[in-house]
Amino acid sequence: MTETNNPKIAIVTGGSRGIGRSIVQTLADNGMRVYFNYSSPDDSDARQTQADVEKKGGFCQGFQVDILKQDDVQAFFKSVLKQTGAIHVLVNNAGITRDGLLPMMSEKQWDQVIDVNLRGAYLCTKAVLKPMIRQRWGRIIAISSIVGISGNAGQSNYAAAKAGLIGFTKSVAQEMASRQITANVVAPGFIQTQMTDDLNNTQQEQLLSRIPMKRMGTPEDISAVVRFLSSDDAGYITGQVIRVCGGLSM
Ligand code: NAD
């Protein structure tokens, strides 16, 4: 695709808060028109994301679409495409944890985590490939975790889903490379969001002692890398896993 003045269209899953909100903000700051989804029936977080973006003169729109509902996901992508005629960037960010040691882990805990983190990415990626192939330009970015590389006690479901997301994204990278569609993975370490607020003080202190940079990451540490990977400058990078973890995993 040649550069035009038309703004690029980005979709961010799970954009209502945390890392997703920062990605929405960053891409909108960069001039993209950003559409995002989220799961909670309470739309206050999504409205906050939208207000933050609009305050800085950007455009974003949020939709309550459960990533597990295939028909709703397809309708969401269809309606964005109808409005915009193109989708240039997809960020597979939506994710959940349901932690527990394996002997105690229920099938429900297992299925929920695999479904949101991995099946959700499959559904959304499938939905953007046709328009990206037509455009001969696309950027697919998955938010995995260093836990998907190293494993983590109490998170076998999450580690399996995040490792699966890496294999999935690398396969998409191989299938799509000749069409100028790149697919890469960002693997965060421990990032200060509502997801990690659940850790108690002792767990947080133990964690910090293991991080060479001695601080948790911020959502902006992640969205800065997503911004680069979604740009024209990153056009020769595909199938890569970039760890953003203060040195926790090397
Ligand atoms: P968060 O809980 O603050 O936000 C998660 C987002 O995903 C929300 O917008 C939520 O509505 C959305 N979501 C959850 N289930 C959904 C569903 N069924 N359908 C649609 N949307 C759904 O989480 P976060 O900390 O911002 O994490 C974002 C991503 O980064 C996740 O994939 C997470 O696994 C990954 N990650 C986070 C950390 C961390 O330390 N916070 C570390 C590594 C990876």
Side-chain angles (χ1 to χ4, degrees):
M1 200 185 76
T2 51
E3 276 292 273
T4 68
N5 290 328
N6 292 337
K8 289 209 166 76
I9 310 299
I11 294 191
V12 179
T13 68
S16 61
R17 61 182 217 185
I19 293 171
R21 174 183 285 169
S22 178
I23 294 170
V24 170
Q25 178 81 63
T26 303
L27 297 185
D29 287 350
N30 245 32
M32 294 189 193
R33 290 174 72 82
V34 188
Y35 297 80
F36 66 92
N37 77 322
Y38 57 95
S39 55
S40 165
D42 172 5
D43 68 352
S44 52
D45 282 336
R47 280 193 283 116
Q48 187 62 52
T49 302
Q50 190 152 343
D52 291 351
V53 166
E54 285 169 0
K55 205 158 80 190
K56 294 179 79 181
F59 171 91
C60 76
Q61 229 180 346
F63 298 85
Q64 198 249 324
V65 178
D66 186 336
I67 211 163
L68 298 178
K69 297 191 178 146
Q70 185 160 1
D71 292 346
D72 295 359
V73 171
Q74 279 168 355
F76 168 54
F77 281 86
K78 236 177 160 174
S79 90
V80 172
L81 255 181
K82 202 170 161 199
Q83 263 188 65
T84 62
I87 298 174
H88 301 96
V89 177
L90 169 68
V91 184
N92 285 315
N93 166 75
I96 58 165
T97 51
R98 296 286 182 269
D99 297 350
L101 294 171
L102 190 55
M104 269 81 79
M105 185 178 288
S106 66
E107 275 187 49
K108 189 171 171 202
Q109 273 171 293
W110 175 267
D111 287 344
Q112 279 181 335
V113 168
I114 301 288
D115 283 353
V116 174
N117 292 280
L118 187 54
R119 186 169 183 274
Y122 151 73
L123 289 177
C124 296
T125 306
K126 205 171 165 192
V128 298
L129 287 184
K130 272 192 191 151
M132 286 185 179
I133 288 169
R134 262 200 312 272
Q135 292 155 199
R136 295 189 71 78
W137 199 98
R139 298 281 187 268
I140 295 164
I141 299 150
I143 309 300
S144 175
S145 166
I146 55 161
V147 166
I149 299 167
S150 57
N152 196 25
Q155 291 197 307
S156 58
N157 49 358
Y158 185 71
K162 293 304 196 185
L165 193 54
I166 293 173
F168 169 76
T169 306
K170 286 184 175 183
S171 304
V172 173
Q174 292 185 25
E175 290 184 21
M176 293 296 136
S178 64
R179 270 90 173 212
Q180 311 311 317
I181 298 166
T182 66
N184 291 290
V185 178
V186 179
F190 289 92
I191 309 299
Q192 193 82 55
T193 68
Q194 274 147 295
M195 190 181 260
T196 43
D197 283 348
D198 291 346
L199 300 171
N200 63 37
N201 282 348
T202 320
Q203 285 171 315
Q204 296 224 4
E205 274 164 31
Q206 276 172 355
L207 246 175
L208 282 179
S209 70
R210 289 170 43 214
I211 301 173
M213 287 192 161
K214 299 294 171 217
R215 70 166 177 91
M216 287 181 80
T218 63
E220 291 67 36
D221 289 322
I222 307 305
S223 55
V225 179
V226 172
R227 178 183 52 211
F228 171 64
L229 288 174
S230 66
S231 71
D232 283 309
D233 289 342
Y236 200 51
I237 300 174
T238 197
Q240 303 305 308
V241 181
I242 300 182
R243 300 174 212 206
V244 185
C245 61
L248 180 58
S249 166
M250 293 190 185

